[in-house]
Coordinates of all heavy atoms in Angstrom, one line a residue:
M1 N -6.8 -2.4 16.1 CA -5.8 -1.9 15.3 C -5.3 -2.9 14.1 O -5.2 -4.0 14.5 CB -4.6 -1.5 16.1 CG -3.5 -0.8 15.3 SD -3.9 0.5 14.2 CE -3.6 1.9 15.2
L2 N -5.3 -2.4 13.0 CA -4.8 -3.2 11.9 C -3.4 -3.6 11.9 O -2.6 -2.8 12.4 CB -5.1 -2.5 10.5 CG -6.4 -2.5 9.9 CD1 -6.4 -1.7 8.5 CD2 -6.9 -3.9 9.5
K3 N -3.0 -4.8 11.6 CA -1.6 -5.1 11.3 C -1.3 -4.8 9.9 O -2.1 -4.7 9.0 CB -1.5 -6.6 11.6 CG -1.5 -7.1 13.1 CD -1.2 -8.5 13.1 CE -2.2 -9.2 14.0 NZ -2.8 -10.4 13.5
C4 N 0.1 -4.7 9.7 CA 0.6 -4.3 8.4 C 0.2 -5.3 7.3 O -0.3 -5.0 6.3 CB 2.1 -4.2 8.4 SG 2.7 -2.8 9.3
S5 N 0.2 -6.6 7.8 CA -0.2 -7.6 6.9 C -1.7 -7.5 6.4 O -2.0 -7.8 5.3 CB 0.1 -9.0 7.3 OG -0.5 -9.2 8.6
E6 N -2.5 -7.2 7.4 CA -3.9 -7.0 7.1 C -4.2 -5.8 6.1 O -5.0 -5.9 5.3 CB -4.7 -6.8 8.4 CG -4.8 -8.1 9.3 CD -5.3 -7.8 10.7 OE1 -5.1 -6.7 11.2 OE2 -6.0 -8.8 11.2
L7 N -3.4 -4.8 6.4 CA -3.6 -3.6 5.6 C -3.1 -3.9 4.1 O -3.9 -3.6 3.2 CB -2.7 -2.4 6.1 CG -2.9 -1.1 5.4 CD1 -3.0 0.0 6.4 CD2 -1.9 -0.9 4.4
V8 N -2.1 -4.6 4.0 CA -1.6 -5.0 2.7 C -2.6 -5.9 2.0 O -2.9 -5.7 0.8 CB -0.2 -5.6 2.7 CG1 0.2 -6.3 1.4 CG2 0.8 -4.6 3.1
E9 N -3.2 -6.8 2.7 CA -4.2 -7.7 2.2 C -5.4 -6.9 1.6 O -6.0 -7.3 0.6 CB -4.6 -8.7 3.2 CG -4.1 -10.1 3.1 CD -4.4 -10.9 4.3 OE1 -5.6 -10.8 4.8 OE2 -3.5 -11.6 4.8
R10 N -5.8 -5.9 2.4 CA -7.1 -5.2 2.1 C -6.8 -4.0 1.2 O -7.8 -3.3 0.8 CB -7.8 -4.8 3.3 CG -8.2 -6.0 4.1 CD -8.9 -5.6 5.4 NE -8.9 -6.6 6.3 CZ -9.2 -6.5 7.6 NH1 -9.6 -5.4 8.1 NH2 -9.2 -7.5 8.4
S11 N -5.5 -3.7 0.9 CA -5.4 -2.4 0.2 C -6.0 -2.3 -1.2 O -6.4 -1.2 -1.6 CB -3.8 -2.1 0.1 OG -3.1 -3.2 -0.5
D12 N -6.1 -3.5 -1.9 CA -6.7 -3.4 -3.2 C -8.1 -3.1 -3.1 O -8.7 -2.4 -4.0 CB -6.3 -4.7 -4.0 CG -6.8 -5.9 -3.4 OD1 -7.0 -5.9 -2.2 OD2 -7.0 -6.9 -4.1
A13 N -8.8 -3.7 -2.0 CA -10.2 -3.4 -1.9 C -10.4 -1.9 -1.4 O -11.4 -1.4 -1.8 CB -10.7 -4.3 -0.7
L14 N -9.4 -1.4 -0.7 CA -9.6 0.0 -0.3 C -9.6 0.9 -1.7 O -10.4 1.8 -1.8 CB -8.4 0.4 0.6 CG -8.3 2.0 0.8 CD1 -9.3 2.3 1.9 CD2 -6.9 2.3 1.2
L15 N -8.6 0.6 -2.5 CA -8.4 1.4 -3.7 C -9.5 1.2 -4.7 O -9.9 2.1 -5.4 CB -7.1 1.1 -4.4 CG -5.8 1.5 -3.5 CD1 -4.5 1.2 -4.2 CD2 -5.7 3.0 -3.2
A16 N -10.2 0.1 -4.5 CA -11.4 -0.2 -5.4 C -12.6 0.4 -4.8 O -13.7 0.2 -5.4 CB -11.5 -1.7 -5.6
G17 N -12.5 1.0 -3.6 CA -13.6 1.6 -3.0 C -14.6 0.6 -2.4 O -15.8 0.8 -2.2
E18 N -14.1 -0.6 -2.0 CA -15.0 -1.7 -1.5 C -15.1 -1.8 0.0 O -15.7 -2.6 0.5 CB -14.4 -3.0 -2.1 CG -14.7 -3.2 -3.6 CD -13.9 -4.4 -4.2 OE1 -13.3 -5.1 -3.4 OE2 -14.1 -4.6 -5.4
L19 N -14.4 -0.9 0.7 CA -14.3 -1.0 2.2 C -15.4 -0.1 2.7 O -15.7 0.9 2.1 CB -13.0 -0.7 2.7 CG -11.8 -1.6 2.3 CD1 -10.5 -1.2 3.1 CD2 -12.1 -3.0 2.7
S20 N -15.9 -0.5 3.9 CA -16.9 0.3 4.6 C -16.1 1.5 5.2 O -15.0 1.6 5.3 CB -17.5 -0.5 5.8 OG -16.6 -0.8 6.7
W21 N -17.0 2.5 5.7 CA -16.5 3.7 6.4 C -15.6 3.3 7.6 O -14.6 3.9 7.7 CB -17.7 4.5 6.8 CG -17.3 5.8 7.6 CD1 -17.0 6.9 6.9 CD2 -17.1 6.0 8.9 NE1 -16.7 7.8 7.9 CE2 -16.8 7.3 9.1 CE3 -17.3 5.1 10.1 CZ2 -16.5 7.9 10.4 CZ3 -17.1 5.7 11.3 CH2 -16.6 7.1 11.5
R22 N -16.1 2.4 8.3 CA -15.3 1.9 9.6 C -14.0 1.3 9.1 O -12.9 1.6 9.8 CB -16.2 0.8 10.2 CG -15.7 0.6 11.7 CD -16.7 -0.5 12.3 NE -17.6 0.1 13.1 CZ -17.4 0.4 14.5 NH1 -16.2 0.1 14.9 NH2 -18.4 0.9 15.2
Q23 N -13.9 0.5 8.1 CA -12.6 -0.1 7.7 C -11.7 1.0 7.1 O -10.5 0.9 7.3 CB -12.9 -1.1 6.6 CG -13.5 -2.4 7.1 CD -14.0 -3.3 6.1 OE1 -14.6 -2.9 5.1 NE2 -13.7 -4.6 6.2
R24 N -12.3 2.0 6.4 CA -11.5 3.0 5.9 C -10.8 3.9 7.0 O -9.7 4.3 6.9 CB -12.3 3.9 5.0 CG -12.6 3.4 3.6 CD -12.9 4.4 2.6 NE -14.0 5.3 3.0 CZ -15.3 5.0 2.8 NH1 -15.7 3.9 2.2 NH2 -16.2 5.8 3.2
M25 N -11.6 4.0 8.1 CA -11.1 4.8 9.2 C -9.9 4.1 9.9 O -8.8 4.7 10.2 CB -12.2 5.0 10.3 CG -13.1 6.1 10.0 SD -12.3 7.7 9.7 CE -11.9 8.1 11.4
S26 N -10.0 2.7 10.0 CA -8.9 2.0 10.6 C -7.7 1.9 9.7 O -6.5 1.9 10.2 CB -9.3 0.6 11.1 OG -9.9 -0.1 10.0
F27 N -8.0 2.0 8.4 CA -6.9 2.1 7.5 C -6.1 3.4 7.6 O -4.9 3.5 7.7 CB -7.5 2.1 6.1 CG -7.0 1.0 5.2 CD1 -7.7 -0.3 5.3 CD2 -6.0 1.1 4.3 CE1 -7.2 -1.3 4.5 CE2 -5.6 0.1 3.4 CZ -6.2 -1.1 3.6
R28 N -6.9 4.4 7.8 CA -6.3 5.8 7.8 C -5.5 5.9 9.1 O -4.4 6.6 9.1 CB -7.4 6.9 7.8 CG -7.1 7.9 6.8 CD -8.3 8.9 6.6 NE -9.2 8.5 5.6 CZ -10.4 9.2 5.4 NH1 -10.7 10.2 6.1 NH2 -11.2 8.8 4.4
M29 N -6.0 5.4 10.1 CA -5.3 5.4 11.5 C -3.9 4.7 11.4 O -2.9 5.3 11.8 CB -6.1 4.7 12.5 CG -7.3 5.4 13.1 SD -6.7 6.9 14.1 CE -6.2 5.9 15.6
H30 N -3.9 3.6 10.7 CA -2.7 2.9 10.5 C -1.7 3.6 9.6 O -0.5 3.7 9.9 CB -3.0 1.4 9.9 CG -1.8 0.6 9.9 ND1 -1.6 -0.5 10.6 CD2 -0.7 0.6 9.0 CE1 -0.5 -1.1 10.3 NE2 0.1 -0.4 9.4
L31 N -2.2 4.1 8.5 CA -1.4 4.9 7.6 C -0.8 6.1 8.2 O 0.4 6.5 7.9 CB -2.2 5.3 6.3 CG -2.6 4.2 5.4 CD1 -3.4 4.6 4.3 CD2 -1.4 3.3 4.9
F32 N -1.5 6.7 9.2 CA -1.0 7.9 9.9 C 0.3 7.5 10.7 O 1.1 8.3 10.8 CB -2.2 8.4 10.8 CG -1.8 9.7 11.5 CD1 -1.7 10.9 10.8 CD2 -1.6 9.6 12.9 CE1 -1.4 12.0 11.5 CE2 -1.2 10.9 13.6 CZ -1.1 12.0 12.8
M33 N 0.2 6.4 11.2 CA 1.3 5.9 12.2 C 2.4 5.1 11.5 O 3.5 4.9 12.0 CB 0.8 5.2 13.3 CG 0.0 6.2 14.3 SD -0.7 5.2 15.7 CE -1.9 4.2 14.9
C34 N 2.2 4.6 10.3 CA 3.1 3.6 9.7 C 3.5 4.1 8.3 O 2.7 4.0 7.4 CB 2.4 2.3 9.6 SG 3.4 1.0 8.9
R35 N 4.8 4.5 8.3 CA 5.2 5.1 7.0 C 5.5 4.0 5.9 O 5.4 4.3 4.8 CB 6.4 6.0 7.2 CG 7.8 5.3 7.0 CD 8.9 6.2 7.4 NE 10.1 5.3 7.5 CZ 10.9 5.2 6.3 NH1 10.6 5.8 5.3 NH2 11.9 4.3 6.4
H36 N 5.7 2.8 6.4 CA 5.9 1.7 5.4 C 4.6 1.4 4.6 O 4.6 1.3 3.4 CB 6.4 0.4 6.1 CG 7.8 0.6 6.6 ND1 8.9 0.5 5.7 CD2 8.4 0.8 7.8 CE1 10.0 0.7 6.4 NE2 9.7 0.8 7.7
C37 N 3.5 1.4 5.4 CA 2.3 1.1 4.7 C 1.8 2.3 3.8 O 1.2 2.2 2.9 CB 1.2 0.7 5.7 SG 1.4 -0.9 6.4
R38 N 2.2 3.5 4.4 CA 1.9 4.7 3.6 C 2.5 4.6 2.2 O 1.9 4.9 1.2 CB 2.4 5.9 4.4 CG 1.5 7.1 4.2 CD 1.6 8.0 5.4 NE 3.0 8.3 5.9 CZ 3.3 8.4 7.1 NH1 2.4 8.2 8.1 NH2 4.5 8.8 7.5
R39 N 3.7 4.3 2.2 CA 4.5 4.1 1.0 C 3.9 3.0 0.1 O 3.8 3.2 -1.1 CB 6.0 3.8 1.2 CG 6.7 4.9 1.9 CD 8.1 4.6 2.1 NE 8.8 4.5 0.9 CZ 10.2 4.7 0.9 NH1 10.8 5.0 2.0 NH2 10.7 4.7 -0.3
Y40 N 3.6 1.9 0.8 CA 3.1 0.8 0.0 C 1.7 1.2 -0.7 O 1.6 0.9 -1.9 CB 2.7 -0.4 1.0 CG 2.0 -1.5 0.4 CD1 2.7 -2.4 -0.5 CD2 0.6 -1.7 0.5 CE1 2.0 -3.4 -1.2 CE2 -0.1 -2.7 -0.2 CZ 0.6 -3.5 -1.0 OH -0.1 -4.5 -1.6
V41 N 0.8 1.8 0.0 CA -0.4 2.2 -0.6 C -0.2 3.2 -1.7 O -0.9 3.1 -2.7 CB -1.5 2.8 0.5 CG1 -2.6 3.4 -0.1 CG2 -1.9 1.6 1.4
K42 N 0.7 4.2 -1.4 CA 0.9 5.2 -2.5 C 1.5 4.5 -3.8 O 1.1 4.8 -4.9 CB 2.0 6.2 -2.0 CG 1.9 7.5 -2.6 CD 2.8 8.5 -2.0 CE 2.2 9.2 -0.8 NZ 3.2 10.3 -0.2
Q43 N 2.4 3.6 -3.6 CA 3.0 2.9 -4.7 C 1.9 2.1 -5.5 O 1.8 2.0 -6.7 CB 4.1 1.9 -4.3 CG 5.3 2.7 -3.7 CD 6.3 3.0 -4.8 OE1 6.2 2.7 -5.9 NE2 7.5 3.4 -4.2
L44 N 1.1 1.3 -4.7 CA 0.1 0.6 -5.3 C -0.9 1.4 -6.0 O -1.4 1.0 -7.1 CB -0.6 -0.2 -4.2 CG -1.7 -1.2 -4.6 CD1 -1.1 -2.3 -5.5 CD2 -2.4 -1.9 -3.4
E45 N -1.3 2.5 -5.5 CA -2.2 3.4 -6.1 C -1.6 3.9 -7.5 O -2.3 3.9 -8.5 CB -2.4 4.7 -5.2 CG -3.7 5.4 -5.4 CD -3.9 6.5 -4.4 OE1 -2.9 6.9 -3.8 OE2 -5.0 6.9 -4.3
R46 N -0.3 4.2 -7.5 CA 0.3 4.7 -8.7 C 0.3 3.5 -9.7 O 0.1 3.8 -10.9 CB 1.8 5.1 -8.4 CG 2.3 6.1 -9.3 CD 3.7 6.5 -8.9 NE 3.7 7.1 -7.6 CZ 4.8 7.3 -6.8 NH1 6.0 6.9 -7.2 NH2 4.7 8.0 -5.6
L47 N 0.6 2.4 -9.2 CA 0.6 1.2 -10.1 C -0.7 0.9 -10.8 O -0.9 0.7 -12.0 CB 1.1 0.0 -9.4 CG 1.2 -1.4 -10.1 CD1 2.4 -1.4 -10.9 CD2 1.1 -2.5 -9.1
L48 N -1.8 1.0 -10.0 CA -3.2 0.8 -10.5 C -3.6 1.9 -11.5 O -4.3 1.6 -12.4 CB -4.2 0.8 -9.3 CG -4.0 -0.4 -8.4 CD1 -5.0 -0.3 -7.2 CD2 -4.2 -1.8 -9.1
R49 N -3.1 3.0 -11.3 CA -3.5 4.1 -12.2 C -2.7 3.9 -13.5 O -3.2 4.2 -14.6 CB -3.1 5.5 -11.6 CG -4.1 6.0 -10.7 CD -4.1 7.5 -10.7 NE -4.7 7.9 -9.3 CZ -4.0 8.5 -8.4 NH1 -2.7 8.7 -8.5 NH2 -4.6 8.8 -7.3
A50 N -1.5 3.3 -13.4 CA -0.7 3.2 -14.6 C -1.2 2.0 -15.5 O -0.9 2.0 -16.7 CB 0.8 2.9 -14.2
I51 N -1.9 1.2 -14.9 CA -2.5 0.0 -15.7 C -4.0 0.2 -15.9 O -4.8 -0.1 -15.0 CB -2.1 -1.3 -15.0 CG1 -0.7 -1.3 -14.8 CG2 -2.7 -2.5 -15.9 CD1 -0.3 -2.5 -13.9
P52 N -4.4 0.8 -17.0 CA -5.9 1.0 -17.2 C -6.6 -0.4 -17.3 O -6.1 -1.4 -17.8 CB -6.0 1.7 -18.5 CG -4.6 1.6 -19.2 CD -3.7 1.1 -18.1
G53 N -7.8 -0.4 -16.8 CA -8.7 -1.6 -16.8 C -8.4 -2.7 -15.8 O -9.0 -3.7 -15.8
M54 N -7.6 -2.3 -14.8 CA -7.4 -3.3 -13.7 C -8.5 -3.3 -12.6 O -8.6 -4.2 -11.8 CB -6.1 -3.0 -13.1 CG -4.9 -3.8 -13.7 SD -3.3 -3.5 -12.9 CE -3.7 -4.2 -11.2
H55 N -9.2 -2.1 -12.6 CA -10.3 -2.0 -11.6 C -10.0 -2.3 -10.2 O -10.7 -2.9 -9.5 CB -11.5 -2.9 -12.1 CG -12.0 -2.6 -13.5 ND1 -12.5 -1.4 -13.8 CD2 -11.9 -3.4 -14.6 CE1 -12.8 -1.5 -15.1 NE2 -12.5 -2.6 -15.6
G56 N -8.8 -1.8 -9.9 CA -8.4 -1.9 -8.4 C -7.9 -3.3 -8.0 O -7.8 -3.5 -6.7
K57 N -7.8 -4.2 -8.9 CA -7.4 -5.5 -8.5 C -5.9 -5.8 -8.9 O -5.6 -5.8 -10.0 CB -8.3 -6.7 -9.1 CG -9.6 -6.6 -8.5 CD -9.7 -7.1 -7.1 CE -11.2 -7.1 -6.5 NZ -11.1 -6.9 -5.0
A58 N -5.0 -5.9 -7.9 CA -3.7 -6.3 -8.2 C -3.4 -7.8 -8.0 O -3.8 -8.3 -6.9 CB -2.8 -5.4 -7.3
N59 N -2.8 -8.4 -8.9 CA -2.4 -9.8 -8.6 C -1.1 -9.9 -7.9 O -0.4 -8.8 -7.6 CB -2.3 -10.6 -9.9 CG -1.2 -10.1 -10.9 OD1 -0.1 -9.8 -10.4 ND2 -1.5 -10.2 -12.1
E60 N -0.7 -11.0 -7.5 CA 0.4 -11.2 -6.5 C 1.7 -10.7 -7.1 O 2.6 -10.1 -6.4 CB 0.6 -12.7 -6.1 CG 0.1 -12.9 -4.7 CD -0.1 -14.4 -4.4 OE1 1.0 -15.1 -4.6 OE2 -1.0 -14.8 -4.0
A61 N 2.0 -10.9 -8.4 CA 3.2 -10.5 -9.0 C 3.3 -9.0 -9.1 O 4.4 -8.5 -8.8 CB 3.2 -11.0 -10.5
E62 N 2.3 -8.3 -9.2 CA 2.3 -6.8 -9.2 C 2.5 -6.3 -7.9 O 3.2 -5.4 -7.7 CB 1.0 -6.3 -9.9 CG 1.0 -6.4 -11.3 CD -0.4 -6.6 -11.9 OE1 -1.4 -6.7 -11.1 OE2 -0.6 -6.7 -13.2
V63 N 1.9 -6.9 -6.8 CA 2.1 -6.5 -5.4 C 3.5 -6.7 -5.1 O 4.2 -5.8 -4.5 CB 1.1 -7.3 -4.5 CG1 1.5 -7.0 -3.0 CG2 -0.3 -6.8 -4.8
E64 N 4.1 -7.8 -5.5 CA 5.5 -8.2 -5.2 C 6.4 -7.1 -5.9 O 7.4 -6.6 -5.3 CB 5.8 -9.6 -5.7 CG 7.3 -10.0 -5.6 CD 7.8 -9.8 -4.2 OE1 7.1 -10.1 -3.2 OE2 9.0 -9.4 -4.0
Q65 N 6.1 -6.7 -7.1 CA 6.8 -5.7 -7.7 C 6.9 -4.3 -7.0 O 7.8 -3.7 -6.9 CB 6.2 -5.4 -9.1 CG 7.0 -4.7 -10.1 CD 6.3 -4.4 -11.4 OE1 5.2 -5.0 -11.7 NE2 6.7 -3.4 -12.1
V66 N 5.7 -4.1 -6.4 CA 5.6 -2.8 -5.6 C 6.4 -2.9 -4.4 O 7.2 -2.0 -4.0 CB 4.1 -2.4 -5.3 CG1 4.0 -1.3 -4.3 CG2 3.3 -2.2 -6.6
M67 N 6.3 -4.0 -3.7 CA 7.0 -4.2 -2.4 C 8.6 -4.2 -2.7 O 9.3 -3.6 -1.9 CB 6.7 -5.6 -1.8 CG 5.3 -5.7 -1.4 SD 4.8 -4.5 -0.1 CE 5.5 -5.2 1.4
R68 N 8.9 -4.7 -3.8 CA 10.3 -4.7 -4.2 C 10.9 -3.3 -4.4 O 11.9 -2.8 -4.0 CB 10.6 -5.5 -5.4 CG 12.1 -6.0 -5.6 CD 12.2 -7.1 -6.5 NE 11.5 -7.0 -7.8 CZ 10.7 -7.9 -8.4 NH1 10.5 -9.0 -7.7 NH2 10.0 -7.6 -9.5
R69 N 10.0 -2.5 -5.1 CA 10.4 -1.1 -5.4 C 10.5 -0.3 -4.1 O 11.3 0.6 -3.9 CB 9.3 -0.4 -6.3 CG 9.9 0.5 -7.2 CD 8.8 1.1 -8.1 NE 8.2 0.1 -9.1 CZ 7.1 0.4 -9.6 NH1 6.4 1.5 -9.5 NH2 6.5 -0.6 -10.5
I70 N 9.6 -0.6 -3.1 CA 9.7 0.1 -1.8 C 11.0 -0.2 -1.1 O 11.6 0.6 -0.6 CB 8.5 -0.2 -1.0 CG1 7.2 0.3 -1.6 CG2 8.6 0.3 0.5 CD1 5.8 -0.2 -1.0
R71 N 11.3 -1.5 -1.1 CA 12.5 -1.9 -0.4 C 13.8 -1.3 -1.1 O 14.7 -0.9 -0.5 CB 12.8 -3.5 -0.5 CG 11.8 -4.1 0.4 CD 12.3 -5.6 0.7 NE 12.1 -6.4 -0.5 CZ 10.9 -7.1 -0.7 NH1 10.0 -7.0 0.2 NH2 10.7 -7.9 -1.8
E72 N 13.8 -1.2 -2.4 CA 14.8 -0.4 -3.2 C 15.0 1.0 -2.8 O 16.1 1.5 -2.7 CB 14.7 -0.6 -4.7 CG 15.1 -2.0 -5.2 CD 14.6 -2.3 -6.6 OE1 14.0 -1.4 -7.2 OE2 14.7 -3.5 -7.1
D73 N 13.8 1.6 -2.7 CA 13.8 3.0 -2.2 C 14.4 3.2 -0.9 O 15.2 4.1 -0.6 CB 12.4 3.5 -2.1 CG 11.7 3.8 -3.5 OD1 12.5 3.7 -4.5 OD2 10.6 4.2 -3.5
D74 N 14.1 2.2 0.1 CA 14.7 2.3 1.4 C 16.3 2.1 1.4 O 16.9 2.9 2.0 CB 14.1 1.1 2.3 CG 12.8 1.6 2.8 OD1 12.4 2.7 2.8 OD2 12.0 0.6 3.2
Q75 N 16.7 1.2 0.6 CA 18.1 1.0 0.5 C 18.8 2.3 -0.2 O 19.8 2.7 0.2 CB 18.4 -0.2 -0.5 CG 18.2 -1.5 0.3 CD 18.0 -2.6 -0.7 OE1 18.3 -2.6 -1.9 NE2 17.7 -3.8 -0.2
E76 N 18.1 2.9 -1.1 CA 18.6 4.1 -1.7 C 18.8 5.2 -0.6 O 19.9 5.9 -0.6 CB 17.6 4.6 -2.7 CG 18.1 5.6 -3.7 CD 19.1 5.0 -4.8 OE1 18.9 3.8 -5.1 OE2 20.0 5.8 -5.1
Q77 N 17.9 5.3 0.3 CA 18.0 6.3 1.3 C 19.1 6.1 2.3 O 19.7 7.0 2.7 CB 16.7 6.4 2.1 CG 15.6 7.2 1.4 CD 14.3 7.3 2.2 OE1 14.2 6.6 3.2 NE2 13.3 8.0 1.7
H78 N 19.3 4.8 2.6 CA 20.4 4.5 3.5 C 21.8 4.9 3.0 O 22.7 5.1 3.7 CB 20.4 3.0 3.9 CG 19.2 2.6 4.7 ND1 18.8 3.3 5.8 CD2 18.3 1.7 4.6 CE1 17.7 2.8 6.3 NE2 17.4 1.7 5.6
R79 N 21.9 4.9 1.7 CA 23.2 5.2 1.1 C 23.5 6.6 1.2 O 24.7 7.0 1.2 CB 23.1 4.7 -0.4 CG 24.2 3.7 -0.7 CD 24.1 3.3 -2.1 NE 23.2 2.1 -2.3 CZ 22.4 1.9 -3.3 NH1 22.3 2.9 -4.2 NH2 21.6 0.9 -3.5
H80 N 22.5 7.5 1.3 CA 22.9 8.9 1.3 C 23.3 9.4 2.7 O 22.9 8.9 3.7 CB 21.6 9.7 0.8 CG 21.3 9.5 -0.7 ND1 22.2 9.7 -1.6 CD2 20.2 9.0 -1.2 CE1 21.7 9.3 -2.8 NE2 20.5 8.9 -2.5
Ligands
ZN1 ZN1 1.9 -0.8 8.6

């Protein structure tokens, strides 16, 4: 089973289509059970689409930006 940190580390490779079938399966298993990573991958995907020419590679600052946005979303939900 993948850990959240492993999934985050490999998510750019996943979105770039660089993972094997087996790796994609373990990704999917994890995403099925972990809503935090589901949100992370969704946000990262959106970010990569928004920036043309990135070819699926996110640098640390951009990943940090996504993580921050996810945390802000969580805080938003707690307020309601
Ligand atoms: Zn996770």
